Amino acid sequence: MDYATSDARTPLGATADNGLKIVVVGGFGVGKTTLVRSVSEIRPLNTEETMTRAGEAIDDISEVRGKSATTVAFDFGRITLDAHNVLYLFGAPGQERFWFLWDRLFSGTLGAVVLVDTRRIDDSWYAIDRLEHHGTPFIVACNDFGGPGHTPAEIREALDLDPHVPLIDCDARSRESSKRVLITLVEHLKTVYAAAAEATAPATPATPAPEEVTKSPELAL
């Protein structure tokens, strides 16, 4: 998959009050680096290294023959939401030997995007399992690799997705498509955290019937 680049980057503000963290996870070669790179307003920090013959015995590249580099730590991008809030994007490495880094990346995360290549749906199982283990809200975005089409119902069944988890299509090379992915995640997070806040809010005391109200002398009419 070709990487998307853009020279027109929005200048950063001098300060921000709130940093909001989101992680992009998924299997090897599903387009995590591409998504972060396409949507970040700064030149992304990445830790890509050239793949060598030695790695062929470790990483299954049969479905990603055109891939020549791989993330070995994480990708990092940034998006300014407004004068006080910025969104930090972390792209997790996809190979199994780097999965030990994921738990650290999930620390302090508001939510996550699970990027899926529908030709290799099984590669997404570990990401979903770890997010559910941490109780981290997430959405699933199916990256377009031009493979055979699958219905949303088929993908949900294959991933055993909860009905409340949003499932969308995307093209990680497209800035607009990647923005829609993040907007979908933010809207999902608003719903999840609003429901959690409502569930933990103290019950409102019942209003007593008029005959049960004792009037003070000062307020008696």
Side-chain angles (χ1 to χ4, degrees), residues 46-59:
N46 62 65
T47 55
E48 285 196 315
E49 295 293 341
T50 301
M51 298 178 66
T52 64
R53 288 186 177 274
E56 292 181 4
I58 303 173
D59 301 321

Side-chain angles (χ1 to χ4, degrees), residues 7 14 44 70 97 129 142 150-151 160 182:
D7 295 327
T70 185
R97 67 182 186 276
D129 177 74
C142 297
H150 298 279
T151 66
D160 193 24
L182 297 181

Side-chain angles (χ1 to χ4, degrees), residues 129-153:
D129 177 74
R130 295 314 299 166
L131 290 168
E132 291 179 340
H133 172 76
H134 284 273
T136 303
F138 65 92
I139 69 167
V140 173
C142 297
N143 198 9
D144 181 14
F145 283 89
H150 298 279
T151 66

Side-chain angles (χ1 to χ4, degrees), residues 9 35-41 79 89 175 178-179 182:
R9 302 290 183 179
L35 188 147
V36 173
R37 186 175 295 178
S38 70
V39 79
S40 176
E41 67 189 10
I79 301 172
L89 299 175
R175 181 176 179 82
S178 296
K179 283 171 61 177
L182 297 181

Side-chain angles (χ1 to χ4, degrees), residues 7 10 76 78-79 85 100 108 159 194 221:
D7 295 327
T10 304
F76 174 77
R78 168 176 163 155
I79 301 172
N85 299 282
F100 71 93
L159 294 174
L221 297 178

Side-chain angles (χ1 to χ4, degrees), residues 67-122:
K67 191 171 178 61
S68 60
T70 185
T71 300
V72 296
F74 60 85
D75 303 305
F76 174 77
R78 168 176 163 155
I79 301 172
T80 298
L81 301 178
D82 54 39
H84 302 286
N85 299 282
V86 294
L87 188 66
Y88 296 120
L89 299 175
F90 289 82
Q95 298 99 311
E96 184 175 352
R97 67 182 186 276
F98 297 126
W99 284 352
F100 71 93
L101 295 170
W102 286 19
D103 288 349
R104 291 293 184 90
L105 283 177
F106 292 163
S107 177
T109 299
L110 284 179
V113 174
V114 178
L115 204 57
V116 174
D117 178 352
T118 54
R119 302 170 303 174
R120 300 177 287 129
I121 287 182
D122 288 350

